[in-house]
Amino acid sequence: LDAVHPDDHIVVISRSGTTADVIEIVEKYRHTHRITALLGDLDTELGRLCDRVIDLSFADEQSIVQTRFASTVLTTLRASIGLAPDDLIAGAEVALAAALPADPATLRQVVFLGHR
């Protein structure tokens, strides 16, 4: 990252907006690079330091295995380079409309494994 080019752009990712290593990189390069942050919390130091912020606060985590934010970041990055499936929204709507295989009130634990 030390060789500076006028078109250099850094993308940083932080769900909390307080990741020390990411803040350190942003502080080091913010005067020589354009920096875009994908953040789960905009009201943070990273939210204030970066040139552009993409708000992913809707993908907040409420589980032990935190995948919602990571999946949202990956989908956002894929969409930004034209690699998100054309039927992504339609597929999500079908999945949300489908009946659950069991009554959630009767379950103690659910593990979902899926692929495309």
Side-chain angles (χ1 to χ4, degrees), residues 42-75:
L42 302 183
D43 190 26
T44 60
E45 187 170 3
L46 275 174
R48 291 182 284 281
L49 286 173
C50 296
D51 301 311
R52 182 173 176 212
V53 176
I54 298 173
D55 180 7
L56 299 180
S57 61
F58 65 87
D60 193 20
E61 302 290 349
Q62 298 177 2
S63 63
I64 294 170
V65 179
Q66 299 190 359
T67 59
R68 183 184 300 174
F69 182 77
S71 297
T72 302
V73 166
L74 181 58
T75 303

Side-chain angles (χ1 to χ4, degrees), residues 76-103:
T76 300
L77 291 171
R78 286 179 58 107
S80 75
I81 59 173
L83 292 179
D86 292 336
D87 64 346
L88 181 68
I89 301 296
E93 289 171 345
V94 168
L96 289 171
L100 295 174
D103 178 1

